[in-house]
Amino acid sequence: MQLDLIIEDADVLTMDPRRPRASRLGIWRGVVVGVDEELDGLRAAERVDARGAFVMPGFNDAHAHSVWFGQSRLDVDLDGATTAEEVYARIGARAATEVPGAWITCTGYDAGHVHGPQPDRDGLDAAASGRPVLIRHNTGHSLTVSGAVLAWAGVGEHVVEQPEGGWIAVDAAGRPSGLLDETAMHLVTRLVQPESLEHIGACLERASAEYAAEGITSVTDAGIAGGWIGHSPLEFAAYQRALDAGRLRTRFQTMVTLDALQSVAGHPDDGPQLTLGAGVRSGVGDERLQIGPAKVFTDGAMLGRTAAMTEDYCGGAHGGHGRGYLQQEEHEMHRACLAAAGAGWALAMHAIGDAALDFSLDVIAEALARHGRPVMPHRVEHGGVVREDQVARMAELGVVMTTQPNFISAFGESVRERIGEERALLSYPAGRLLRAGLVLPGSSDRPVAGGRPLEVVRDFVLRRTEAGRDYGPDDRLTVDEALHAYTVGSAEATGWGARKGRLTAGRLADVVVLGADPRAVPAEEIGRIPVQATLVGGELVHGVL
């Protein structure tokens, strides 16, 4: 038998507890054949001397937003802006290069790190000389827009009625300021969507190339085709087209938003069915592109104080909601989730506040009781505040929590300011989840915060805020635990535990070669380790072997 590739003289971390280390790795037709003596007597079309390089399974980001991430590379970058004047200056510089009437779209805006007044409609109108301006906040749950955009969106000089599950911010005189939260964003996104399949494909190509350069071999995109996060009702088709055209260097799983599913009539015995046409559901696809869970936005964001809490935020209410709020009427959201579960969908419940998590776990418990376990685990996303009783209940239900430690290094102090010291100890858990026996995946929620896997691994280990202060130190992981999360944990969380995450015979040959063993350098240095090569299915997609 002749293999396609044998990597020799490597320091291989297999993630196989029976054999954690190896020095040789064999690959054939995109799959790992074996290691070390399992390769004795086998020939290979190519042999590579790794010269002692560190080799491990490719990273798997279990929660990201790839189209948005790729799109952000084309927008005005507001990352690091700390005053409204700096925001206006960057927008003005882009406006000077655009034709009159062109949209100026911006990304990377962190309202929590802006000192003094926030940018408003009048300032944006002046900075862009009347061109429409759209600023996407880094949370994804808020927009700030110019007066021109408010006019096109039909928002008058006074707000007569606030949208359900959202908020149009007003100034002291009752005039809309340009800030739109949660469902209010639909008033603007409908003006720029749907985006073309070609544009979506170009954004995916851009994102996928960056992923490969960072050692990411699989990504789950958490919300397509609907809601405020989707880009087109045809969005999955853009993934298919990009895959067919060879534009994707990573494997993708996509979550379809709950509101993109439809009521489909079947036999009366089947019960209510909320799904895609022809009964398409979670699990359709293959190892290169698959439909994952249905994404359900139960609440909002911590920074905007729209995540639903059981206790008031610190520092006052936002939009008249001292504890945040659910995105929809509770009974209707409950009904829709159970109808999706009844059609075979796994559920991925965005739940940042602990009240939203209570609701999500109630829904999942009922879905399991009625319909059994789906083809991949039910999930809850983010975990901004997670009480101990909720950790125990997730363990009992077999729910996966996908949490992002990079939020801590990006805006942990802003979160602490909103929820206080006591709840900060319950925020974005990791170690507590492992100790309770839960599956813990690695994820970034990119581009909400930086998402290079080695930097997120560092944040799992250090749990330090942007100010360098400890944040929930009892939830710190070891480097081994963090690497396990980004490989085995993510594979299990996405339903691929038998095929990804370990370099053992029969699993997909998704491999990253690093410039150093992350366990052998100071934790502060992990994020700076270079990625030398990335292989997906044994094919080189980045670097040189």
Side-chain angles (χ1 to χ4, degrees):
M1 179 180 180
Q2 176 170 286
L3 304 186
D4 297 318
L5 173 67
I6 293 180
I7 301 175
E8 301 175 312
D9 188 22
D11 181 11
V12 182
L13 179 65
T14 67
M15 292 295 176
D16 181 357
R18 297 168 299 181
R19 184 176 194 150
R21 306 303 288 266
S23 62
R24 288 189 293 163
L25 179 70
I27 298 171
W28 181 65
R29 294 189 177 180
V31 175
V32 174
V33 172
V35 298
D36 289 353
E37 78 282 350
E38 296 169 342
L39 306 177
D40 289 349
L42 298 179
R43 296 175 292 112
E46 182 180 8
R47 287 180 178 268
V48 171
D49 184 348
R51 293 182 288 279
F54 184 78
V55 175
M56 62 173 285
F59 297 116
N60 185 339
D61 192 326
H63 185 122
H65 302 284
S66 298
V67 179
W68 180 15
F69 175 49
Q71 195 173 57
S72 72
R73 295 306 196 232
L74 308 175
D75 291 342
V76 177
D77 185 7
L78 299 180
D79 184 41
T82 58
T83 65
E85 288 70 25
E86 189 174 353
V87 170
Y88 297 147
R90 295 188 193 184
I91 290 171
R94 174 64 65 87
T97 69
E98 298 287 353
V99 299
W103 281 73
I104 310 297
T105 57
C106 312
T107 194
Y109 180 66
D110 184 351
H113 286 150
V114 169
H115 309 302
Q118 296 284 323
D120 62 20
R121 59 184 293 179
D122 297 328
L124 295 176
D125 281 334
S129 301
R131 294 173 180 82
V133 180
L134 186 159
I135 298 175
R136 296 181 178 92
H137 292 222
N138 62 345
T139 65
H141 290 257
S142 299
L143 301 174
T144 298
V145 298
S146 61
V149 174
L150 286 177
W152 289 353
V155 178
E157 290 299 294
H158 296 280
V159 178
V160 176
E161 183 179 4
Q162 292 285 357
E164 179 185 1
W167 183 256
I168 303 170
V170 297
D171 60 21
R175 180 172 178 252
S177 66
L179 174 64
L180 306 173
D181 286 334
E182 306 300 346
T183 59
M185 295 189 296
H186 290 303
L187 298 169
V188 170
T189 55
R190 68 185 182 185
L191 302 175
V192 294
Q193 293 181 359
E195 295 159 26
S196 72
L197 297 181
E198 172 57 30
H199 173 73
I200 295 171
C203 292
L204 286 171
E205 182 176 27
R206 180 83 177 247
S208 186
E210 290 202 36
Y211 292 155
E214 298 166 354
I216 299 174
T217 53
S218 290
V219 176
T220 295
D221 279 342
I224 70 165
W228 59 263
I229 200 68
H231 297 265
S232 167
L234 302 174
E235 197 162 354
F236 190 73
Y239 282 79
Q240 292 178 301
R241 285 167 52 125
L243 177 63
D244 292 344
R247 302 173 78 172
L248 304 184
R249 303 188 194 186
T250 37
R251 306 183 191 276
F252 281 97
Q253 183 184 73
T254 61
M255 298 182 186
V256 179
T257 59
L258 185 69
D259 66 335
L261 306 184
Q262 307 163 7
S263 180
V264 178
H267 191 278
D269 290 348
D270 297 333
Q273 301 273 306
L274 195 69
T275 187
L276 297 177
V280 173
R281 59 163 173 81
S282 298
V284 170
D286 58 21
E287 69 268 12
R288 291 305 306 236
L289 178 61
Q290 185 193 46
I291 293 177
K295 177 67 177 294
V296 183
F297 288 98
T298 70
D299 70 344
M302 192 83 79
L303 296 185
R305 294 185 174 92
T306 57
M309 298 288 186
T310 56
E311 298 178 10
D312 287 350
Y313 284 96
C314 303
H318 174 77
H321 300 276
R323 299 185 177 186
Y325 48 87
L326 295 178
Q327 290 278 292
Q328 302 175 45
E329 195 279 322
E330 188 170 332
H331 174 76
E332 175 56 28
M333 190 159 38
H334 179 272
R335 181 204 62 77
C337 288
L338 290 180
W345 287 84
L347 301 174
M349 313 286 284
H350 168 109
I352 291 183
D354 63 330
L357 182 54
D358 281 334
F359 168 79
S360 298
L361 295 179
D362 285 346
V363 167
I364 290 173
E366 189 167 347
L368 289 169
R370 289 191 185 188
H371 307 297
R373 297 199 175 274
V375 295
M376 57 191 65
H378 290 306
R379 298 170 42 164
V380 285
E381 311 299 303
H382 307 306
V385 173
V386 184
R387 306 185 310 267
E388 290 300 327
D389 63 293
Q390 293 174 320
V391 174
R393 193 175 187 204
M394 286 189 289
E396 178 186 350
L397 294 174
V399 170
V400 172
M401 169 160 277
T402 306
T403 185
Q404 293 78 39
N406 48 319
F407 286 5
I408 296 170
S409 63
F411 37 76
E413 294 298 336
S414 296
V415 172
R416 192 184 341 238
E417 177 186 345
R418 285 155 176 75
I419 63 176
E421 294 287 349
E422 185 175 342
R423 280 184 289 182
L425 297 175
L426 305 177
S427 182
Y428 303 119
R432 287 189 294 142
L433 303 181
L434 289 183
R435 290 192 292 272
L438 274 75
V439 170
L440 176 66
S443 71
S444 67
D445 202 16
R446 203 178 209 171
V448 171
R452 293 186 67 249
L454 287 167
E455 293 179 355
V456 185
V457 167
R458 175 203 64 201
D459 292 338
F460 265 131
V461 175
L462 293 178
R463 292 184 67 91
R464 291 180 187 160
T465 69
E466 68 273 36
R469 298 174 61 200
D470 289 346
Y471 191 99
D474 286 347
D475 268 303
R476 284 179 177 142
L477 302 185
T478 67
V479 179
D480 276 311
E481 289 170 335
L483 294 176
H484 187 278
Y486 245 109
T487 53
V488 178
S490 291
E492 293 176 348
T494 56
W496 286 90
R499 292 281 284 157
K500 295 182 185 178
R502 306 182 196 269
L503 296 179
T504 59
R507 282 179 165 82
L508 297 170
D510 297 347
V511 180
V512 60
V513 182
L514 302 179
D517 182 342
R519 300 164 305 174
V521 303
E524 292 82 359
E525 302 294 324
I526 292 173
R528 290 192 279 272
I529 294 174
V531 175
Q532 296 180 351
T534 306
L535 292 82
V536 174
E539 296 293 326
L540 189 68
V541 296
H542 167 74
V544 178
L545 277 176

